[in-house]
Amino acid sequence: MTDTSSPESPENTEAPGLSRRRLLGTAGAAGAAGLALGAVGGAGVAAAVNSDGEGPAALTSVGATEVMFHVKHQAGITTPLQSRGHLIAFDLAPGAGRKEATALLRRWSHVAKQLMAGRSLAGDDTEVARDAGPSSLTLTFGFGRTFFDRTGLTAQRPMELDPLPDFSSDHLDPRRSNGDLWVQIGADDALVAFHALRAVQKEAGEAARVRWQMNGFNRSPGATASPMTTRNLMGQVDGTGNPKPSEPDFDKRIFVPESGRPAGQEWMAGGSYAVVRRIRMLLDDWEKLPRGDQEAVIGRRKKDGAPLTGGDEFTEPDLAKAGPDGQLVIAADAHSRISAPEQNGGAAMLRRPFSYHDGISADGTPDAGLLFICWQADPLRGFVPVQRKLDRGDALSRFIRHEASGLFAVPGGPGEGEYVGQRLLEG
Amino acid sequence: MTDTSSPESPENTEAPGLSRRRLLGTAGAAGAAGLALGAVGGAGVAAAVNSDGEGPAALTSVGATEVMFHVKHQAGITTPLQSRGHLIAFDLAPGAGRKEATALLRRWSHVAKQLMAGRSLAGDDTEVARDAGPSSLTLTFGFGRTFFDRTGLTAQRPMELDPLPDFSSDHLDPRRSNGDLWVQIGADDALVAFHALRAVQKEAGEAARVRWQMNGFNRSPGATASPMTTRNLMGQVDGTGNPKPSEPDFDKRIFVPESGRPAGQEWMAGGSYAVVRRIRMLLDDWEKLPRGDQEAVIGRRKKDGAPLTGGDEFTEPDLAKAGPDGQLVIAADAHSRISAPEQNGGAAMLRRPFSYHDGISADGTPDAGLLFICWQADPLRGFVPVQRKLDRGDALSRFIRHEASGLFAVPGGPGEGEYVGQRLLEG
């Protein structure tokens, strides 16, 4: 965080870290449009609105919405889906240990706090996000299983980070899987997200090296007037069954409880476990399938996501219902039947994905699909039982391929003055 | 375009092609926010606004803005930059000729007209864009040099499509360069853009094969309140010198005149030539450069894009001005000096790029930069002289690498009832 800017630059006459904030104005958040964006709770959402009357007041809630850094749970878990996302995993550099990791998490936390508030970084900011508002930027930090041995923190490693079981349909590339450290970046502006990604990479410095990096996207705010859940690149409404923060057991299912942790693992209180899967969609095959067959694979109508047994997207599917031919209306291998919580002992996870599209593969097929990210208090009561069942008999499995996988412990949000992971690293 | 949807689908009870339009409502365009988005003229911009009072009225101008298909010049040239873009080039399939190309342009034009109006495609729509508004979608179609021999239209090939000269700094990959046919897709919603891309690919059918495909992005509408030109991934304000539609010679510089074409080439009246360059930015090197050095390379201030000789972004640079040390303030090799129109015999082109970021390369550096697209009535009076000069002495050339190149003849917009390229293919 040293100031490498040249003395010639007029930029230096501004207080470090204040330039973008000053440019945008700092009007109060009350009643700002950002609050209406449908936050699903948990993360605090405020908004800074341009009110200085200079220039065209074109900063809408898209740019003005600010997500808080110091909150109970890290941002980027219950924050509404952003239109742009980056995932990046690092391995600690050879020779780097707990000391270097601690300094890195301090630097990353500083960067996250500054950028999420729409501020520039002192001195060496790339300026890619200059002129833009915070744009709902979130940075979310997690630790992979391998982090703990390398930092002498083996006793603090939660059993929830034990490797995921192998699934028979996995085609995992280890070079794009796991990692010591993981950062999820989301924003409603692509340049704001890219700016944060480069800052995270830069701060890694000599302490950590990039292991893999992926880019994703979701629908833009304001592109739809529909109250329905968003769609994926197969055209399916995706995410209907997600637990809702208003449900009484939401916190219990998604976040690690504040108390009752095994000794040494109190640091995960308020945290959550992220399972990350790069799921390629075999779109050339899928799109050739007639719509009725697609709907049978999913068990839902393509048009509106309603169960094939009727109603609308949010109607409970009637899994026992048979048609005139005596066959189940929602087939035994339909994706929505197999993944339903009631079929999995109530297993629940909060899915918060990004779509991805990396152009065309060497074989001519689209390299596109879902950066599936799900959040849960315990992967063994969330992702694992559901994926086990899908692995055995999901009609959708012919059209998708799990190509990479990661499991990360994402600690609770840092208190005022704290950095992310402080309770682990200094615990 | 056959209807492959199953008889079970309630979708079939809707008139083909009307479902999304009905969902969104079709209120009049007058005074709609879409008109305030800063259209730079040329392409007609209207807006369909959700006014049916159903559901949360969250369709903002981001989703509601509709760009017209039947206009004098094709959409996507003077249309405001969209936040998401796809470029895709095709080669005609072996055995395919003029007949197949004609049918393909008919199909593509139908798709473009439907999707740009926010309508679904009949029967076999993937539904990825369902629920969304048109979101400023544009599809723009062009012909590469190789198209003409393959379709027996050699006599109609304009000399403007003669190969670009070699530049000493080029590192061009022929597999990602040129092509018989080129389609540019832009939209302010990533799913709307992807939906259009897949539709274009599907309609290519047996007639044409994908040669290359690239993805890009720009800032989201509403992410900034600044009146400044957008920034690129180096953090520089980029596009300041662009000609403006309000300038008296804009049309003459950017579009092929309506009359006076050589015999056989009347079909390009109202058209434009697109030069497409994938320009990689060597960001690891660039970001290490102190800000003052970056500003010397460009000849402009990073903060606001103003010339180093003073003023604001739109102040004319004083190219003769020397500092107290007797040296030119804007260095002899500064990018902005060398690319200035007055240094290139008034050569003018309309730059309308997307940034790109395809993750991390095998060598660990970011695979990111600019999908540079420029438009001109004649490449020899636009791109070529400027690039020749940059090639010889641009201080920026150490930090960029031209990796792919294409040159395409983009005919004028189709008249009502016409398809794109009809005047070539049936002329």
Side-chain angles (χ1 to χ4, degrees):
Chain A
M1 300 303 305
T2 55
D3 186 339
T4 61
S5 67
S6 79
E8 292 82 36
S9 168
E11 184 63 29
N12 279 353
T13 61
E14 296 184 14
L18 288 179
S19 46
R20 278 175 55 209
R21 173 64 97 186
R22 203 166 78 186
L23 179 72
L24 296 168
T26 53
L35 293 171
L37 281 176
V40 292
V45 176
V49 175
N50 179 26
S51 64
D52 59 8
E54 291 171 28
L59 187 71
T60 68
S61 60
V62 171
T65 302
E66 178 183 341
V67 184
M68 298 291 108
F69 176 68
H70 290 295
V71 280
K72 187 174 170 192
H73 311 299
Q74 282 194 60
I77 304 175
T78 56
T79 312
L81 290 174
Q82 297 112 328
S83 62
R84 189 81 179 174
H86 300 295
L87 307 181
I88 184 164
F90 295 85
D91 287 332
L92 288 172
R98 183 164 167 184
K99 182 179 151 209
E100 290 76 14
T102 301
L104 175 55
L105 269 296
R106 276 189 191 277
R107 293 196 299 274
W108 275 350
S109 296
H110 174 79
V111 163
K113 184 174 176 174
Q114 295 296 109
L115 298 188
M116 285 171 59
R119 290 191 280 265
S120 295
L121 300 172
D124 51 0
D125 196 296
T126 64
E127 302 286 34
V128 169
R130 195 178 174 108
D131 325 322
S135 307
S136 300
L137 177 67
T138 58
L139 290 91
T140 317
F141 301 90
F143 301 103
R145 177 178 168 80
T146 49
F147 178 82
F148 295 83
D149 284 348
R150 307 203 52 184
T151 49
L153 291 163
T154 310
Q156 283 73 37
R157 186 176 64 209
M159 62 184 171
E160 287 85 349
L161 280 184
D162 285 356
L164 297 173
D166 292 333
F167 300 105
S168 66
S169 58
D170 281 354
H171 291 75
L172 304 182
D173 177 356
R175 292 164 306 175
R176 292 197 291 182
S177 295
N178 297 310
D180 292 344
L181 292 155
W182 176 71
V183 187
Q184 173 194 258
I185 296 167
D188 279 328
D189 179 76
L191 274 73
V192 167
F194 184 82
H195 178 249
L197 176 70
R198 292 298 293 167
V200 163
Q201 280 185 263
K202 181 176 188 175
E203 294 301 341
E206 302 296 309
R209 296 175 178 178
V210 177
R211 182 178 172 91
W212 54 260
Q213 198 264 303
M214 300 174 190
N215 301 328
F217 58 87
N218 283 300
R219 178 144 283 165
S220 297
T224 180
S226 166
M228 284 191 293
T229 308
T230 189
R231 290 178 189 266
N232 60 35
L233 296 188
M234 287 177 154
Q236 299 290 344
V237 175
D238 192 348
T240 303
N242 250 348
K244 295 173 187 50
S246 56
E247 292 166 7
D249 53 356
F250 179 84
D251 270 17
K252 204 180 81 187
R253 289 169 150 188
I254 308 305
F255 295 111
V256 174
E258 291 293 323
S259 59
R261 298 286 304 155
Q265 294 175 25
E266 298 86 354
W267 65 274
M268 265 300 283
S272 186
Y273 292 90
V275 174
V276 180
R277 309 281 283 193
R278 180 183 167 95
I279 305 179
R280 181 143 168 193
M281 294 172 171
L282 309 181
L283 292 178
D284 283 348
D285 297 335
W286 175 255
E287 292 172 5
K288 280 186 200 122
L289 202 64
R291 175 181 304 240
D293 294 355
Q294 291 183 350
E295 292 181 335
V297 163
I298 303 295
R300 291 183 175 273
R301 284 201 305 219
K302 202 159 185 195
K303 174 186 176 180
D304 57 6
L308 293 184
T309 47
D312 66 19
E313 185 198 338
F314 298 105
T315 304
E316 210 54 46
D318 181 354
L319 297 176
K321 187 172 175 180
D325 58 357
Q327 301 290 307
L328 287 168
V329 175
I330 297 174
D333 62 354
H335 180 75
S336 66
R337 172 190 294 273
I338 294 180
S339 60
E342 52 268 42
Q343 303 289 304
N344 295 284
M349 51 189 170
L350 178 66
R351 285 168 289 154
R352 189 177 184 283
F354 293 91
S355 291
Y356 78 88
H357 174 218
D358 290 345
I360 302 214
S361 305
D363 66 1
T365 62
D367 188 5
L370 199 68
L371 300 179
F372 172 97
I373 305 165
C374 74
W375 299 90
Q376 57 256 295
D378 180 354
L380 290 180
R381 290 182 290 126
F383 175 76
V384 171
V386 176
Q387 185 58 25
R388 271 217 179 99
K389 207 148 179 200
L390 289 171
D391 191 44
R392 278 198 287 263
D394 177 16
L396 187 61
S397 60
R398 279 201 299 137
F399 301 97
I400 60 174
R401 194 163 60 207
H402 287 239
E403 295 190 331
S405 176
L407 170 60
F408 303 99
V410 172
E416 200 68 50
E418 277 189 342
Y419 61 89
V420 176
Q422 183 165 343
R423 281 165 270 175
L424 167 64
L425 290 157
E426 301 182 17
Chain B
M1 299 304 304
T2 54
D3 187 338
T4 59
S5 68
S6 78
E8 292 81 37
S9 167
E11 183 63 27
N12 279 351
T13 61
E14 295 184 17
L18 289 179
S19 46
R20 281 176 54 208
R21 172 65 94 187
R22 203 165 75 185
L23 180 73
L24 296 167
T26 54
L35 293 171
L37 281 175
V40 290
V45 176
V49 176
N50 180 24
S51 66
D52 59 7
E54 290 170 29
L59 187 72
T60 68
S61 61
V62 171
T65 302
E66 177 183 341
V67 185
M68 297 291 107
F69 177 68
H70 290 295
V71 281
K72 187 174 170 191
H73 311 298
Q74 281 195 60
I77 303 175
T78 56
T79 311
L81 291 175
Q82 297 112 327
S83 63
R84 188 79 179 176
H86 300 296
L87 308 182
I88 184 164
F90 294 86
D91 287 331
L92 289 173
R98 185 165 167 184
K99 182 178 150 209
E100 291 76 15
T102 301
L104 175 55
L105 267 297
R106 275 189 192 277
R107 292 197 298 273
W108 274 351
S109 296
H110 174 78
V111 163
K113 184 174 176 176
Q114 295 296 109
L115 298 187
M116 284 170 59
R119 289 193 279 264
S120 295
L121 299 172
D124 50 1
D125 196 296
T126 64
E127 301 288 29
V128 169
R130 194 178 175 108
D131 325 322
S135 305
S136 301
L137 176 68
T138 57
L139 290 92
T140 317
F141 301 90
F143 301 102
R145 176 177 168 79
T146 49
F147 178 82
F148 295 83
D149 285 347
R150 307 203 53 185
T151 49
L153 290 163
T154 310
Q156 283 73 37
R157 187 175 65 210
M159 62 186 172
E160 287 85 349
L161 280 184
D162 285 356
L164 296 173
D166 291 334
F167 301 105
S168 66
S169 59
D170 280 354
H171 290 74
L172 305 183
D173 176 355
R175 292 163 306 175
R176 293 197 290 182
S177 295
N178 297 310
D180 291 344
L181 291 155
W182 175 70
V183 187
Q184 171 193 259
I185 296 166
D188 278 330
D189 180 76
L191 273 73
V192 167
F194 184 82
H195 178 247
L197 177 69
R198 291 298 292 168
V200 163
Q201 281 184 262
K202 181 177 187 177
E203 293 301 342
E206 302 295 311
R209 297 176 177 177
V210 176
R211 181 179 172 92
W212 54 261
Q213 198 264 304
M214 300 174 189
N215 301 328
F217 57 88
N218 283 299
R219 177 142 284 164
S220 298
T224 180
S226 165
M228 283 192 295
T229 307
T230 190
R231 288 178 190 267
N232 60 35
L233 295 186
M234 287 178 154
Q236 299 291 345
V237 175
D238 192 349
T240 303
N242 249 347
K244 289 163 195 57
S246 56
E247 293 166 8
D249 53 356
F250 179 84
D251 270 18
K252 203 179 83 186
R253 289 169 150 186
I254 308 306
F255 295 111
V256 175
E258 292 293 322
S259 58
R261 300 284 304 154
Q265 293 174 28
E266 298 84 356
W267 65 274
M268 267 300 283
S272 186
Y273 292 90
V275 174
V276 181
R277 308 280 284 192
R278 180 182 167 97
I279 305 179
R280 181 144 169 192
M281 294 171 170
L282 308 180
L283 292 179
D284 284 349
D285 298 335
W286 175 254
E287 292 171 6
K288 279 185 200 120
L289 201 66
R291 175 181 305 241
D293 293 356
Q294 290 183 351
E295 293 180 334
V297 163
I298 304 294
R300 291 182 174 272
R301 284 200 307 219
K302 202 157 184 197
K303 176 187 176 180
D304 57 6
L308 292 182
T309 47
D312 65 20
E313 185 199 338
F314 298 104
T315 304
E316 210 53 46
D318 181 354
L319 296 175
K321 186 173 177 181
D325 58 358
Q327 301 289 307
L328 287 167
V329 175
I330 297 175
D333 62 354
H335 180 76
S336 66
R337 173 191 293 273
I338 293 179
S339 59
E342 51 269 44
Q343 302 291 302
N344 294 283
M349 51 190 171
L350 176 67
R351 286 168 288 154
R352 189 177 185 281
F354 294 90
S355 290
Y356 79 86
H357 174 219
D358 291 343
I360 302 213
S361 305
D363 66 0
T365 61
D367 188 5
L370 198 68
L371 301 179
F372 173 97
I373 305 165
C374 73
W375 299 90
Q376 57 255 295
D378 180 356
L380 289 180
R381 289 183 291 126
F383 175 77
V384 171
V386 176
Q387 185 58 23
R388 272 218 178 98
K389 207 149 178 197
L390 290 171
D391 192 45
R392 279 198 287 263
D394 177 16
L396 186 60
S397 61
R398 278 202 298 134
F399 301 97
I400 61 174
R401 195 162 61 208
H402 287 240
E403 295 191 332
S405 177
L407 170 59
F408 303 98
V410 173
E416 201 69 49
E418 276 188 341
Y419 61 89
V420 176
Q422 183 166 346
R423 280 165 272 177
L424 168 64
L425 290 157
E426 300 183 19

